[in-house]
Amino acid sequence: MPRPKTHDDALRARLLERAGELLSAEGPGALSLRRLAADVNTSTTAVYSLFGGKPALLNSVYEEAFRRFGERLTAVPQTGDPVEDVVQLGLAYRESALADPQFYLVMFSKVPDFEPSEETEEAAVQTFQPVVRDVGRAVESGVFAQEPHERIAVAMWGMVHGLVSLELNGNLPPGVEIAPVYERALRAFADGWRRR
C-alpha cells in the first residue's frame, strides 16, 4: 500500500496564503520557513519538499498573486463598448485586490535580495495586457483621443492602484465610502480620454 501524500496541493495553497499574509502584513523580515511551517502546522521539511527553499517559495507567492489577478482581469468579457470594458477592468482590479489583499500587497512590493524568475515577471506583465488591449480598442475606434495605448493604460493603472492602496492600507479619510467614489473616478477617467 503506498504512503499517503502529505505534501499535497492543499498544503501548498495554505503555505502560499500564509506567506502572502506574512509578507503583506509584517514585511519580508517576518517570513522565515520555520515560522511559516509552524503557522500552517507543518514541518520545514514540507516547505522544502514543496518549494525547494525560500527563493522558490517567494517566487511561487509572486506567481500565485499574479495568476489570481490575471485570471480575474481576463474573465472580464469584451463587449462592443471598449470604454465600458475599460471601466469594468478597473472594477475587476479592485475586486481582485479586495478578494486577495495578502497577494495584492505582495505584487507591488520588493523583497530585498529576491528577484522573481523571468517567467513570473512575464506573467506579471501579461496581467496588464487586457487594459492595453481595451484602451487600444477605444483609441482605434475613435472614442478615445489618439494617444499611445500604453500611456492611457498606465494612467488608469496609476489611478486605480492609488485608490486601492489607500483603501487596503486604511488610509482613506473617515466616513468615505470608497466603492461609489472608485467607480465614479473610473468613469471620469474614461470620459477624460474621450476624443473632443
Side-chain angles (χ1 to χ4, degrees):
M1 182 170 161
R3 293 177 61 194
K5 187 175 179 183
T6 57
H7 305 155
D8 58 10
D9 289 340
L11 176 59
R12 184 179 191 280
R14 289 197 320 272
L15 288 165
L16 289 175
E17 288 279 344
R18 184 60 184 148
E21 290 167 359
L22 289 170
L23 286 167
S24 63
E26 300 179 40
L31 182 61
S32 74
L33 299 187
R34 181 172 290 150
R35 178 177 179 189
L36 177 64
D39 286 359
V40 179
N41 198 28
T42 191
S43 66
T44 54
T45 302
V47 179
Y48 280 105
S49 173
L50 287 165
F51 299 103
K54 190 171 180 179
L57 167 68
L58 287 167
N59 193 72
S60 293
V61 171
Y62 275 78
E63 187 176 71
E64 179 69 6
F66 281 105
R67 183 190 66 76
R68 291 184 185 195
F69 185 62
E71 281 181 358
R72 286 192 177 94
L73 293 183
T74 56
V76 174
Q78 278 188 302
T79 69
D81 183 350
V83 176
E84 183 60 25
D85 293 350
V86 168
V87 170
Q88 292 304 313
L89 283 168
L91 294 172
Y93 185 106
R94 179 173 177 264
E95 289 166 10
S96 182
L98 296 179
D100 291 312
Q102 74 285 10
F103 288 129
Y104 180 81
L105 294 170
V106 166
M107 286 191 307
F108 301 109
S109 302
K110 290 287 185 187
V111 175
D113 303 318
F114 168 71
E115 289 295 326
S117 70
E118 286 183 21
E119 294 82 9
T120 300
E121 285 187 346
E122 180 57 29
V125 168
Q126 288 306 311
T127 63
F128 189 50
Q129 293 314 303
V131 181
V132 174
R133 176 200 67 212
D134 289 342
V135 164
R137 289 172 53 228
V139 170
E140 289 158 15
S141 67
V143 179
F144 275 178
Q146 289 296 313
E147 294 280 344
H149 309 166
E150 290 79 7
R151 183 181 299 172
I152 299 171
V154 165
M156 178 187 170
W157 178 27
M159 185 198 70
V160 297
H161 179 70
L163 288 172
V164 165
S165 296
L166 288 171
E167 181 177 9
L168 289 181
N169 290 318
N171 294 323
L172 291 170
V176 171
E177 186 183 345
I178 190 61
V181 171
Y182 183 89
E183 182 166 354
R184 189 164 183 183
L186 272 173
R187 294 190 182 283
F189 169 88
D191 286 343
W193 285 102
R194 287 184 185 273
R195 183 187 289 242
R196 301 298 176 212

